Structure formats: structure tokens, C-alpha cells
Amino acid sequence: MPRPSTLRLARDWGGEEAVAVPPFTAAPATHEYEPLLEANPYQPHLARLVRVFKMVENNWLFTFRFLDEQLARGFRHRPGQFVMLSVPGAGEAPISISSSPTRPGVLELCVRRVGRVTGALYRLEANDVVGIRGPYGNGFPVDRIRGNDLLIAAGGLGMAPLRSLLWYAIDHRDLFRSITLMYGARTPDRMLFRDELVSLLDRTDLRCLLCVDADPSGTWQARVCQLPGLFERVEADPTTTYAAVCGPPVVYRFVLQHLLALGFPKDRILMSLERRMKCGVGKCGHCSVGYKYTCMHGPIFTYWDAINLPEIV
Amino acid sequence: MGHHHPGSVSPLRTLTAAVRHHRDRNVGPVKTVKLPRRKLDFFASVLQRFGELHAPVARNGHFVFQRVRRWSEARLEYTRTELPPKKYFLPPRETLFRFTPGKGYVPESEDLDRRIVLLGVHACDIYSLNILDLVFNGKYPDPYYQTRRRNIALIGVDCIPDQRCFCRSMRADTVEQGFDLFFYDIGDYYLTLVGTALGDDMVLAAGELFESVTPDDVAEYKRRSQERHQRFQLDVEIRDLPEIFEMEYGSEIWEELGAKCLSCGSCSMVCPTCYCYDVADETQLGSTAGRRVRTWDSCLFATHAAVAGGENFRHSRASRVKFRFYHKQRGFVAEYGRPSCVGCGRCSAVCPVGIDIIEVINRLRGVEYAETEHAATR
């Protein structure tokens, strides 16, 4: 720091009859070797919309690949994590990842058309470019689940975040004991990933139980019943099983009831939550439930967390 | 702090360690000098070498931090500013990115390299920045906040509590680090704690302005410190407050407050530790080029917890008022080891319907407002 001519400046300046201070001009603020902004967690990375699959009305499956080849190949996530998706000009929204980390290269996001950002996404076409950052959140505790039985219970749109866990378990079949999927939708044409899941019905290394509440078209091959009805066919040992649950509130209510009746400890029941988010990295405050942030402590919470956090469901 | 058990790390130590870890400019006061009061304007002009000088200024009947063009405008003996210095580090509105179809999202760094010297910051406000550091560091450091924090120097000044101050109860009446210099008024001099290497440079740049401290100066400091301690008119006990919030989650007080609260969010805007923000993309008409802008937000606003599709997890005003208190006094303690409140009194001062945090806490504790321990002995 060069020694300033203190007295001269001060005389120009001091006291009630002071004159205006000369403007501050010296700006030795940043050195070239020190970037002004360090690693920016809010930076969206550009990704190309590879494919739009009009899976279910207002619930399409979008496949993305990062433009940056290194990122496209290097991106890894845990099942149950989410990304922040930016649609140019519309904004940013949290979307759970539906593809499994065991199938890298692309990201599949099952997006419900519900607001400004998702509305704009539905107007995009293949080859359009979006921004993606992440992955965020805790994801399913797969390291804790491994070696145990896995019971996945999904209702309606709840399959979207659970599909990543399902395929992770199938692709790492030897890490888990039994795998059971229970999934119920209102009608066959509202079932997410229907064809893919139907193809699992005959597999012997996992139990795939699918049901619909009603079958207006009369083409449904599997069961017609409510989701809790599938519990008749499930034998789960609560001491060796982790249950992953996602769905609308009514699904939580009945599935949780059944799991508790089976004797599941509350910390072996895992739930995926949805909240408004603006940052995804524990700053903006929007996704708080009680004293936790959905984006950092969640979106996967145990049922024990859920009953101890106010406002959670 | 009620939450902390014997044997565990004290919340203050956690805070200190975390802040130290993330802010290498904090090594604690290394020395103490003194500045003659009548030389303060000289020193202020020296500070021009370190950045734009900003200080509290009287405007329309209250105080605001703003750029000082004439030293005579600055008011170092002030109660509290309308807005806390938070506005320098997390501006009410700032552009995070500019986006164009060709270049994608380009971080906006304009204005971030502005060097500012903030002179005359009270201990509670410095403490609040140490608290914001906890939030804006962590696993994902916020580079916009961080850069401003590096480029803005802080010079603290002591104060005399008024009828709204309860920083002592919140353990924020003194601050041991987080400032470059801190001035304690001891009459004809300001006793000056040097907190950082930058602060040391400021003292050195002032040449002979600063003098050595004598034992009499220290004695005078202690006398004034004791006197200040006795000037506090408000007291609130925060020990086991998180537990009480937990137990009183269903209290009827929340419905009462919900009926009064206007959801205006003023308390969040003036709060030195409220950091909730909203992010929105702004585009020019008919274009997909534009800016991603972040603005201050409040958990009292109706849509704060609303998700796309219409569900709102805090639909009622009562639930939002409750959430704000709960997050500051319970949630933040669980996450960071201390309440996110420094007792500055701004929220009570600004609330249009007179919601008073001291009254709320004391009612939850079952202590009559008028009969708090300290008020009774006043």
C-alpha cells in the first residue's frame, strides 16, 4: 500500500465546511491469477434435448445430453437426486432424475406440465438447448440399502423419482436381496414407464406388481385393484427390508399404514419429497420443512424424519 | 444455548471455527491502538485509499448506510440503520447471469470488484454477517456473496443500547472477529482493535495518526463497557428456547399472531440475518435472451412454500409467522448451533402491527412481558 498524502486530503475534506471527496478511482481489486467469481454453483451447463417421449398426458419423458462431452460422460448421480433445469427465458425448476446412474451418458427427466418452466419445456423440440446443474440432494442411501431386501411402492406420478432406484437395483442385482416393485396408477394410459415395467412382469429375479384402479379400455393384462391391495401378495421381513415410497398424499397414507402394520421401523421407510426451490444448494430458503432443507437434507427423508418435521406432508 | 450439551462443542466455538475456516482474513485481533477522536476525519480520508467510504447517514428521520461524500454527513453515534449492511453483500436485487441463445448462461460479475470501506458498523451487524457466512459458505459457497465479502472492509464502532436492543441476550453485543478494525469510544480517543492484516494496513497507512494504548485507556474502556452493559433495557432468555419452540408448536399464540400479521415481509427485509431469496428470469419481449435476477424474498409472503401445481405447504398466515420464528430460534440452532437472530430490534421497530419478538418469546416462555428479570430491576 503506497503511503498516501494524508494531510492534504484531510484538509480538503474535514469538518463542516468540507468539500466533496475526490472520487475513488484506484481499482487494484482483482489480480489476473485470481478469478473474480470462483466456482459458481448456480452455473447451468448447456444440454441438448435429445428425445421427447410423450409418455403420459402432461407427463412426458425428456432425454438430455450435456453439450460438453466430458460432462456428458462424467456426470454421475445417486438414485433419488435431482437437478435444476433451466429453460431459456422461462426460469429454473427442480426435477428429479428418472434415469439410473448405471446408464450414464444421458439424463432422463420425467416432467409434469404444471408451471411456467415446465410449460416452456413442453414447447421445445429435439436439439433445443437447456441448462442443467446438479445433481443435488441426498438421494437414496443405496450403501445402507445394499445387502437388504428392497421394496419400492409407487403411486401415480411417484414412479418418476423411484425409477432411478429401480434400475439401479436391477443393474446391481447382486448387491440386493429380494427386489419388489409395487406400482399403481389410475388407468393403464396414466401409468408412467408402462411398457418398460410390463416387460419386468415375467422376470424371476424381482417381483413386479402392477395394478390400475380401473381399466376403461379393457386391454390391461395385470391386476385391477388399488395400490394397497397389492400388499396381500407381498411378504416383507421388516428387519431386512428398506421400503421406498413415493406418490400423492393418499398413497402415503395407505402405504405407510400397511408398512407400519407389517412392523417396519420408521427409519426403514424412505420417502421422496417435493418442494419449491430456487437454488438447490441450501441458500434460498424456499424448500425448508421444519428445520431442514429439502434440497440438502432431502429430498429423501425417512418416515421418522417426516413425523418429526412439521409441515412435511 | 439450550441446545448444547456438556462435552459437545460450544455453539460459539462452532461458529468461530466455521467462520475462521472459510474466511482466512480472520485471525482475531492482533493488536490494540487508539485514534484521537478529532483525527477521525483525517483517518476517513486515508480510508479513501482502500475503497469507497460508506457510513451511517441521517436521512428522513432515520439512519441509512450510504456512500459518504462529505465526512460531516457521517453519524457514528447512531441507534440502528433502517436496513442492515446485508444490502452490500446480498443486494436487494442482483443479476446472477446473462443468457443468450448463443453463449448460454454467462455469470454477471459487473460491480463485484467494487472496493468499499464500511465504517461504523455495530457489533450485532458484524455478528450477523458472520452468521450469513455460515449460510453462504458450506458445501456450495455462493461466489457472489464471497467476492463482495472479500472486497468490502468492515470497521466496527461500539454503541449505546436503546429500548429495542437485546443483542446481549442473543450473545451478539460484542464480536470477537469479522471486522478489519473496531472502534471503542473512550472519550477523547477511539480504542481501536485491529482484526485483520487489511486493518493493520489501514492503521499503517494513517502514519502517526494512531497512538499507543495506556493502562488508563484500558481502564476507561472497562468502565464504559460495564456502563454499557447496564444500559440494556430488554432481556430474554434463549437457553432451551429451541425445546420450548418444539413444545409450543401447537400454541394458540401462532393463530393470534397470524390474525395480526399482514404478511408484508418488512421484518425479513430489515433483518440482518434473513437471507431467503427468489430467482426469476427476465427476458426482452419476443426473445430468449435476458437476465437471471435474484431478489430478496420473505417466508411471510403467501407463495413462499407453494409448489407448482397449486399445493402450498404454508397456506395460512399463522403458519408462516410461526415458521419465521421457528426457523430463526429453532431450525437455525439445529443446523448451525446458534439462533439466526442478533437482537438488533429492527423487526419490532418496523412491524406495522406491532409484533414484538421479545413479547413473543416471553409469552412462549410463560414470562410476563412487563416483568422480565431485567425490566423489573431497571
Side-chain angles (χ1 to χ4, degrees), chain B residues 346-363:
Chain B
R346 287 186 178 94
C347 55
S348 309
V350 81
C351 181
V353 294
I355 294 176
D356 183 331
I357 176 172
I358 299 288
E359 193 180 337
V360 173
I361 292 177
N362 281 343
R363 269 190 66 191

Side-chain angles (χ1 to χ4, degrees), chain B residues 133-282:
Chain B
D133 283 349
L134 298 176
V135 176
F136 287 99
N137 276 309
K139 189 178 172 192
Y140 301 100
D142 183 303
Y144 302 90
Y145 176 89
Q146 302 286 1
T147 304
R148 293 199 172 91
R149 200 79 166 90
R150 273 200 307 278
N151 288 340
I152 300 177
L154 290 176
I155 301 181
V157 65
D158 67 346
C159 48
I160 298 297
D162 74 354
Q163 77 283 2
R164 292 197 186 280
C165 294
F166 60 104
C167 52
R168 187 182 58 168
S169 305
M170 288 294 166
R171 320 278 194 266
D173 52 333
T174 59
V175 63
E176 76 222 38
Q177 43 99 43
F179 51 84
D180 297 292
L181 296 174
F182 201 103
F183 286 157
Y184 288 99
D185 186 350
I186 52 166
D188 290 338
Y189 288 93
Y190 285 108
L191 195 72
T192 307
L193 291 190
V194 184
T196 61
L198 177 64
D200 199 37
D201 284 347
M202 291 170 172
V203 171
L204 290 177
E208 288 88 50
L209 282 190
F210 285 86
E211 300 173 18
S212 302
V213 173
T214 64
D216 284 351
D217 297 328
V218 176
E220 178 62 11
Y221 164 77
K222 287 180 190 166
R223 193 189 65 73
R224 285 176 181 250
S225 168
Q226 189 62 27
E227 192 182 285
R228 172 178 183 252
H229 196 68
Q230 284 161 356
R231 293 281 286 272
F232 281 97
Q233 302 166 38
L234 290 178
D235 204 8
V236 65
E237 179 59 73
I238 60 168
R239 195 179 48 81
D240 75 5
L241 195 55
E243 285 80 354
I244 290 177
F245 266 82
E246 206 64 57
M247 294 171 202
E248 292 290 356
Y249 196 76
S251 165
E252 73 278 6
I253 189 175
W254 304 120
E255 289 301 326
E256 266 175 55
L257 291 174
K260 261 171 102 178
C261 174
L262 305 175
S263 278
C264 69
S266 298
C267 49
S268 306
M269 302 302 135
V270 302
C271 177
T273 61
C274 266
Y275 53 84
C276 275
Y277 62 76
D278 192 22
V279 178
D281 283 5
E282 296 177 352

